[in-house]
Amino acid sequence: MTRRMSQARGIPEATVARLPLYLRALNGMAERGVATVSSEDLAVAAGVNSAKLRKDLSHLGSYGTRGVGYDVEYLIYQISRELGLTQDWAVAIIGVGNLGRALANYGGFVSRGFRVAALFDADPDVVGDHIAGLNVEHIDDLEAVIRRRGVSIAVIATPAAKAQQVCDRVMSAGVTSILNFAPVVLSVPDDVDVRKVDLSIELQILAFHEQRKADRMSGGPVMAEEWPEAVNLSISSDVVGSLGSVRSADPAGTGERESQ
Amino acid sequence: MTRRMSQARGIPEATVARLPLYLRALNGMAERGVATVSSEDLAVAAGVNSAKLRKDLSHLGSYGTRGVGYDVEYLIYQISRELGLTQDWAVAIIGVGNLGRALANYGGFVSRGFRVAALFDADPDVVGDHIAGLNVEHIDDLEAVIRRRGVSIAVIATPAAKAQQVCDRVMSAGVTSILNFAPVVLSVPDDVDVRKVDLSIELQILAFHEQRKADRMSGGPVMAEEWPEAVNLSISSDVVGSLGSVRSADPAGTGERESQ
DNA sequence: ATCTGTGAACGGTTTCACAGCT
DNA sequence: AGCTGTGAAACCGTTCACAGAT
């Protein structure tokens, strides 16, 4: 009874994004010899609250035991399977600059379930280098090598200007999952998944909150009246179109602040 | 009229996370000499839909002109100010391994608004190295240097095992914004913001979707009946507690483990 | 007695569609 | 005519609180 049946059609994206967190916490517990864990303990280890954790796990099926908790090894297996980690995925890294090199060498990141199968670069000086036990191939061979080695995930670590064309090429070689480190919005068809990692965006988000905290310290909830004159006119006709290719005017050399 | 007054109380987190995207698209336009842009065009450039973009911008105030669009330079200024980029933030990178080195050298990422002010490492062989124009300092001096140079954002690029203690130390030096590259959940008080970048999590999310796509190809919506026997018994009493410190029983010839 | 699994309430985010300004 | 700004609706994710299993 209570046969499988449940889960199936689609685990919420938010849940998928947390499963790796649970998996990591569970692996730590397994290493320390923990056999069973309650939703409360696992939630703490993963940094979420326990109701959320239970709901997340309930999307995979009923893998817990009421009054007891979850069997650590069993849950590890179920989550791994759900995430597709019971098979090995071949990953290609395109762009072997500082970042690409770091990624290739980042032993831990390409852990169980993933295998760096190819490295590519356009620079002839770099092609042929031996990095993390792999030869750097020339970008011209991208499609052929990707197909031959069955690469299904591409990591783009090229300069921003090359990212879209690299993206187009890996897609033409059949890749439908891309991890993008270049600071550009890639355009891809609906059947291709792109995840991006963008350092400057993360920093900017932190800066926003940092600024809020700083403001709270000093002025308290300052609001209104917080910016340079010549502002309420909004666009006011002739300003528009006058700036040409000037980069950053900084319309009042300030150093603002604001609300909150 | 229509005096400021609006916005003020908190911009939604989801909006904050997109502002850097808009900013980047706008900077590209400014460089190409575009003076005015419609919500539709900017939305396309940023990879979002135009209603969302308009709502996002409306949280900052009414900076557009009906029937016309947004003034590019003016919007750049407003978003920059909102994000706190009109001041410079001093960033410290802790851990100068492959990744830390890549981050320090990643010219583009520390762009407008950010400045790498210090590099730290625990390895005596690395301390004293000159990277991206900076001396690598010993981790023992962390608190002192952070205070002296007014660092307000710390980037943790250490091994997982050291991340929490580094986190504690930067916090004790007054840092309240952390960008964490180590694959651990940092525990911090409420007034500290942590953002994490986790390569193995991103890959696992991609693997999940990749697996779904593969499944859809072949068997169509396969469901139920997809796992090895000896499973429906769930925890079944005596299995619990029997595993002691064994690491990985591996419930089906797969080969788990994971991240880092 | 304990702890999971889940309906129901809640809060935040996205999308729709149009009123209102230029 | 064109495009922004925004209520209202739809959607998704989280939290609450408890029924139900062990």
Side-chain angles (χ1 to χ4, degrees), chain A residues 221-244:
Chain A
V222 180
M223 56 176 298
E225 236 49 275
E226 347 82 342
W227 61 71
E229 321 11 56
V231 146
N232 273 338
L233 41 79
S234 229
I235 305 183
S236 120
S237 48
D238 56 12
V239 174
V240 177
S242 67
L243 301 163

Side-chain angles (χ1 to χ4, degrees), chain A residues 5-212:
Chain A
M5 274 302 315
S6 43
Q7 51 133 330
R9 277 331 72 191
I11 294 169
E13 219 13 71
T15 295
V16 172
R18 282 186 296 263
L19 292 178
L21 233 53
Y22 305 152
L23 191 52
R24 176 177 294 154
L26 285 163
N27 278 322
M29 289 171 176
E31 251 155 46
R32 290 171 11 241
V34 177
T36 294
V37 68
S38 67
S39 63
E40 179 59 33
D41 290 353
L42 181 51
V44 169
V48 303
N49 89 34
S50 67
K52 191 188 284 184
L53 179 129
R54 287 199 303 279
K55 181 136 293 186
D56 281 344
L57 294 184
S58 77
H59 291 296
L60 319 189
S62 281
Y63 296 146
T65 307
R66 290 167 199 236
V68 179
Y70 301 89
D71 179 79
V72 172
E73 292 291 346
Y74 184 60
L75 237 202
I76 286 175
Y77 169 66
Q78 290 298 347
I79 295 177
S80 296
R81 196 177 51 76
E82 196 62 60
L83 286 173
L85 305 180
T86 50
Q87 60 194 282
D88 256 40
W89 299 99
V91 174
I93 297 174
I94 302 99
V96 191
N98 277 308
L99 181 60
R101 225 171 281 257
L103 297 177
N105 282 308
Y106 191 16
F109 118 98
V110 172
S111 55
R112 210 32 172 208
F114 302 96
R115 181 173 43 88
V116 180
L119 303 175
F120 297 97
D121 206 290
D123 182 350
D125 291 352
V126 175
V127 173
D129 280 10
H130 212 241
I131 295 173
L134 278 166
N135 232 42
V136 177
E137 330 252 346
H138 194 278
I139 190 92
D140 285 352
D141 303 325
L142 189 116
E143 291 87 344
V145 173
I146 282 184
R147 291 212 129 94
R148 191 174 335 125
R149 303 201 188 148
V151 167
S152 45
I153 300 177
V155 176
I156 299 182
T158 65
K162 303 289 183 188
Q164 183 65 58
Q165 82 190 51
V166 164
C167 173
D168 293 341
R169 291 184 63 185
V170 299
M171 290 190 299
S172 82
V175 169
T176 57
S177 292
I178 296 172
L179 180 50
N180 179 32
F181 284 85
V184 288
V185 176
L186 295 178
S187 55
V188 300
D190 284 347
D191 62 330
V192 173
D193 285 287
V194 177
R195 296 198 57 91
K196 70 175 186 316
V197 171
D198 194 314
L199 314 177
S200 89
I201 287 180
E202 298 302 324
L203 284 181
Q204 288 175 38
I205 296 170
L206 286 173
F208 172 85
H209 293 295
E210 190 64 23
Q211 173 173 248
R212 292 253 148 158

Side-chain angles (χ1 to χ4, degrees), chain B residues 178-219:
Chain B
I178 295 171
L179 180 50
N180 179 32
F181 284 85
V184 288
V185 177
L186 295 177
S187 55
V188 301
D190 284 348
D191 62 330
V192 173
D193 285 288
V194 177
R195 297 197 59 91
K196 71 174 185 316
V197 171
D198 193 313
L199 315 177
S200 91
I201 287 180
E202 298 302 325
L203 284 182
Q204 289 175 38
I205 295 170
L206 286 173
F208 172 86
H209 293 295
E210 192 64 23
Q211 171 172 251
R212 291 257 147 157
K213 282 180 270 190
D215 288 355
R216 226 169 304 155
M217 286 294 123
S218 53

Side-chain angles (χ1 to χ4, degrees), chain B residues 108-157:
Chain B
F109 117 97
V110 174
S111 53
R112 207 47 175 189
F114 302 96
R115 181 172 43 89
V116 180
L119 304 174
F120 298 97
D121 205 289
D123 182 349
D125 290 353
V126 175
V127 172
D129 279 10
H130 211 240
I131 296 173
L134 277 167
N135 233 42
V136 177
E137 330 252 344
H138 195 279
I139 189 95
D140 285 352
D141 303 326
L142 189 116
E143 291 86 344
V145 174
I146 282 182
R147 291 213 129 94
R148 191 172 337 123
R149 303 200 189 149
V151 166
S152 45
I153 300 178
V155 175
I156 298 182

